[in-house]
Amino acid sequence: MKIANYKKYSSKKFSQLYKYFISYIALLVVVLSVLGGIVYKNFIFTLQKEVEMSNISIINQIQETIDTRMKEMERTALSIHSNPNLKPYKILTGPYDAGEGVKQLGQYKSSNEFVYDIALYYNTLDNNRIHTTTMNTNLIMFFDYIYQYKEWSKNDFKSSIYTLTYPVMRPVETIMLNRNQEKRFSTYLYPLPPNAVKPYGIVLFLIDENAFKNILKSALKDYDGYIYILDNQNNLIVDLIYNRGILVEGSEGVSNQLLTTSFEDTINHIEIENKNYSVTRLISPYNNWSYIMAIETEQFMQKANTSKKAFYTAILIVLLVGIIIALIFAIGNYRPLKKLMKMFPESSRIYGYIDEFDYITRGINYVAQEKQDLVKQLNSERSIFKNQILLKILEGKIYEEKEIQTIKNVYGIELGHPYFTVIVFLIDDYDNLRDIHSKKGQDLIFFSMINVAEELAKG
C-alpha cells in the first residue's frame, strides 16, 4: 500500500522545531533553577541574615550603652555612699556642711552628662531635708515646687524608703519644674546601702527623656517603628516611636500588643495595624531589662529586597537571552530537516505525519515502494521488451556499441559472440490454437516455449 493512499489520521503536527526549542528551554530552566537556587541560598539568604544580625547588633549596642549609663549611676551612688563628706552625720549637722554636700553632688553631676540632676535623702532622725546638685531644701519644697510629679508625692517617696531593697527605675513621666515648665523625666532610685533589708538613705537620679531617646534614635534611623525598654518586672520605662522619620506619640493598642506578646526567637514577625513588622527582643544580662524594637519588615529588609529584585532581574534577563539563543539553535538544527523534506516529490502527498522525522520516514518508505513497483513492472514487461529488442537487432536497427551495452545491462541479453543462429518455430495448426485459447492463454504458451528454448540453448 502506497503512502500516498494513507488515510489522514491526524491534522495536528508537532514540528520538530518546537521540540528543539522546548528542549533547549527546559535545559535552560533546569540550569537556571540549580544555579539560581545555589546563588539565592548562599547570597540572598546570607544577606538577609546579615541584615537581621545588623539590627540585632544595633539594639545590642543600645542595650550596652544604657547598661554602661546604669553602671555609671551605680558607681556614683556607691561613691556617694562612701564619701565621708556626704554621710548623714556630716551633711545633716549644719548649713555649712549641707552646702559642702551640695558641691560634692554637683561634682558627681558634672562628670555624668546622662543625668539631669542628683538628689540625696537620708531617712534618719525624722529628717525632712533633701540635697540636690544646686540646693539644700526640704521634701515639701522639692516635691511641690522644684520637681512636682503628677503621680508621685512626698509620702509615696518616703514610703519607698522602707520598701525599696534594690534599684528601681521609674518610667518616663511628666514633671513640673519650678511650677512653670513641664518636662519629662525618668527617676532612678538607688537605696543606700544597696541590697539592705532596711535602707537608711536613697539617691535619686533624674534622667531627661531626651537622654534616653538620643540613644534610641540611633537604632531606628530612617525606619518607621517602635522601641521599648522594660525593667526586670516588664514595666515600661521609656519608648520611642517613629512614623516616616517623625517622632510621634505611641498607640496604646500597639504598645499592649508588643509588650504582651511572648517572643520565642530573637527576631519575630507580627502584624501591627495591618502592617508586617520584624520584632527584635534582647534581655540585658546586667539588670534583666528588656529591649524591644519593631521595624516595618519592608523597610527592615529593604537592602535584602533590593538585592532580591536585582537577582530576579538578572535571572529574567538571562532567561530572555537564553530563549533567544535557544530559538537560534532550534532554527539552525531544524533547517537541514526542512531542506530534506523539500527533496520529496509533491506527488507523494504524505498526510497525517506527526513531525518532520515521521514525514521523512514516510517519504523514504514511499520512494522505496515506488522503486519496488517500478522493478516489478519492469520485470513483468522484460520479456516483451526483450523480444522487441531482438527483432530490432535481427532487422539491423540496433548496431551501435553503446545501445548494445545498455541492452546488456538493463535486460541481461548477452551478445558476446561474433555470430548467432536464429531458430524460427512454426506452430502447427496455429489457427486452431487461436480459436481454442484466448489472447492471454496464447501469450502464456509463447512465453513457456521461449523459456524452454532459452534453457535448451544454455545447455
Side-chain angles (χ1 to χ4, degrees):
M1 182 178 180
K2 295 182 180 180
I3 292 182
N5 296 327
Y6 277 3
K7 184 178 180 181
K8 185 177 180 182
Y9 64 88
S10 174
S11 61
K12 296 181 180 179
K13 305 175 182 64
F14 192 59
S15 174
Q16 195 66 29
L17 174 64
Y18 302 143
K19 292 182 179 179
Y20 285 143
F21 181 68
I22 291 173
S23 63
Y24 294 146
I25 293 299
L27 179 61
L28 176 64
V29 170
V30 170
V31 172
L32 282 180
S33 299
V34 174
L35 293 180
I38 294 174
V39 172
Y40 184 88
K41 182 176 180 180
N42 291 278
F43 175 69
I44 302 298
F45 183 74
T46 302
L47 178 61
Q48 183 173 327
K49 287 297 181 183
E50 287 181 357
V51 172
E52 292 180 350
M53 292 306 297
S54 68
N55 283 272
I56 294 176
S57 177
I58 290 172
I59 195 169
N60 187 63
Q61 184 177 355
I62 293 174
Q63 171 246 309
E64 290 178 351
T65 301
I66 292 180
D67 281 355
T68 300
R69 298 292 183 264
M70 300 301 296
K71 291 175 182 179
E72 289 175 355
M73 290 189 291
E74 180 181 15
R75 285 194 295 268
T76 299
L78 294 176
S79 180
I80 291 173
H81 174 63
S82 61
N83 190 333
N85 293 323
L86 295 176
K87 291 294 185 179
Y89 62 83
K90 182 76 174 177
I91 199 172
L92 298 178
T93 56
Y96 175 79
D97 291 327
E100 288 299 317
V102 169
K103 291 180 182 180
Q104 292 286 321
L105 292 176
Q107 292 177 2
Y108 290 116
K109 161 66 180 64
S110 62
S111 62
N112 194 331
E113 296 180 355
F114 185 69
V115 175
Y116 178 83
D117 198 1
I118 301 175
L120 174 62
Y121 174 79
Y122 289 113
N123 187 32
T124 59
L125 303 174
D126 296 326
N127 176 43
N128 195 38
R129 309 296 294 177
I130 187 168
H131 311 275
T132 71
T133 59
T134 57
M135 68 180 70
N136 171 26
T137 184
N138 57 57
L139 291 178
I140 295 176
M141 181 66 69
F142 183 87
F143 282 100
D144 290 349
Y145 293 92
I146 301 174
Y147 295 108
Q148 186 178 5
Y149 291 79
K150 288 187 175 181
E151 298 181 0
W152 199 43
S153 65
K154 179 193 71 170
N155 294 330
D156 294 330
F157 167 71
K158 293 199 71 173
S159 297
S160 63
I161 293 291
Y162 301 102
T163 59
L164 190 67
T165 59
Y166 56 87
V168 172
M169 178 73 76
R170 288 183 57 82
V172 172
E173 54 194 323
T174 302
I175 298 176
M176 182 71 71
L177 297 183
N178 301 315
R179 287 202 168 183
N180 62 8
Q181 180 185 7
E182 281 191 352
K183 293 198 69 173
R184 291 179 60 79
F185 289 95
S186 179
T187 307
Y188 186 52
L189 290 78
Y190 198 95
L192 297 178
N195 301 319
V197 176
K198 186 178 180 181
Y200 63 86
I202 188 169
V203 179
L204 282 72
F205 295 91
L206 279 82
I207 305 165
D208 193 331
E209 180 183 37
N210 292 328
F212 274 118
K213 291 195 173 181
N214 288 335
I215 298 174
L216 302 183
K217 285 178 183 178
S218 63
L220 288 181
K221 297 180 181 178
D222 297 327
Y223 294 137
D224 292 344
Y226 309 80
I227 295 183
Y228 297 91
I229 300 179
L230 312 178
D231 64 14
N232 56 356
Q233 301 297 323
N234 286 330
N235 299 312
L236 179 64
I237 296 173
V238 63
D239 61 4
L240 181 72
I241 298 146
Y242 263 121
N243 184 10
R244 303 190 181 279
I246 300 174
L247 191 63
V248 297
E249 293 294 329
S251 169
E252 185 176 350
V254 173
S255 300
N256 290 336
Q257 183 176 357
L258 285 171
L259 300 181
T260 57
T261 301
S262 177
F263 299 109
E264 297 181 357
D265 301 319
T266 303
I267 293 186
N268 302 267
H269 301 279
I270 64 174
E271 185 174 319
I272 302 174
E273 296 181 344
N274 299 321
K275 293 182 180 180
N276 292 321
Y277 281 80
S278 296
V279 182
T280 307
R281 181 187 181 105
L282 290 179
I283 297 178
S284 169
Y286 167 66
N287 52 16
N288 289 325
W289 284 11
S290 298
Y291 296 80
I292 300 174
M293 181 172 67
I295 298 176
E296 279 193 49
T297 303
E298 184 176 353
Q299 293 183 336
F300 178 72
M301 301 303 296
Q302 185 175 7
K303 183 178 179 180
N305 291 336
T306 301
S307 298
K308 280 184 181 180
K309 290 179 181 178
F311 172 76
Y312 293 143
T313 302
I315 290 293
L316 181 60
I317 292 174
V318 172
L319 181 61
L320 292 177
V321 173
I323 289 174
I324 295 173
I325 295 175
L327 182 60
I328 294 173
F329 284 172
I331 293 174
N333 289 331
Y334 177 73
R335 191 174 288 115
L337 291 178
K338 187 175 181 181
K339 290 182 179 179
L340 187 58
M341 290 177 65
K342 290 182 178 180
M343 295 176 61
F344 294 100
E346 291 290 333
S347 59
S348 61
R349 299 283 183 184
I350 300 174
Y351 296 109
Y353 60 89
I354 299 174
D355 56 18
E356 287 77 4
F357 286 119
D358 189 33
Y359 181 94
I360 293 170
T361 302
R362 295 187 181 204
I364 292 173
N365 291 335
Y366 171 80
V367 173
Q369 186 69 36
E370 286 283 304
K371 179 181 178 182
Q372 187 177 359
D373 291 344
L374 287 174
V375 170
K376 288 181 180 179
Q377 185 176 357
L378 287 174
N379 289 334
S380 65
E381 297 177 357
R382 182 187 295 270
S383 60
I384 297 174
F385 288 135
K386 187 176 181 181
N387 292 337
Q388 292 177 353
I389 289 171
L390 289 174
L391 288 175
K392 287 182 179 181
I393 291 174
L394 293 174
E395 294 173 355
K397 295 180 180 180
I398 297 176
Y399 55 84
E400 292 185 1
E401 183 67 27
K402 184 177 180 180
E403 290 182 290
I404 294 174
Q405 187 65 32
T406 300
I407 291 170
K408 178 181 176 181
N409 294 334
V410 175
Y411 298 103
I413 300 175
E414 295 288 342
L415 300 175
H417 302 283
Y419 301 100
F420 296 90
T421 299
V422 178
I423 301 175
V424 178
F425 291 92
L426 297 176
I427 300 175
D428 296 335
D429 201 3
Y430 180 69
D431 292 334
N432 186 34
L433 178 66
R434 288 190 304 175
D435 294 338
I436 296 174
H437 298 284
S438 63
K439 182 66 172 64
K440 187 175 182 181
Q442 295 175 31
D443 292 338
L444 182 59
I445 293 172
F446 295 154
F447 179 74
S448 299
M449 292 174 61
I450 291 171
N451 286 338
V452 171
E454 286 182 350
E455 291 295 328
L456 292 174
K458 290 179 181 179

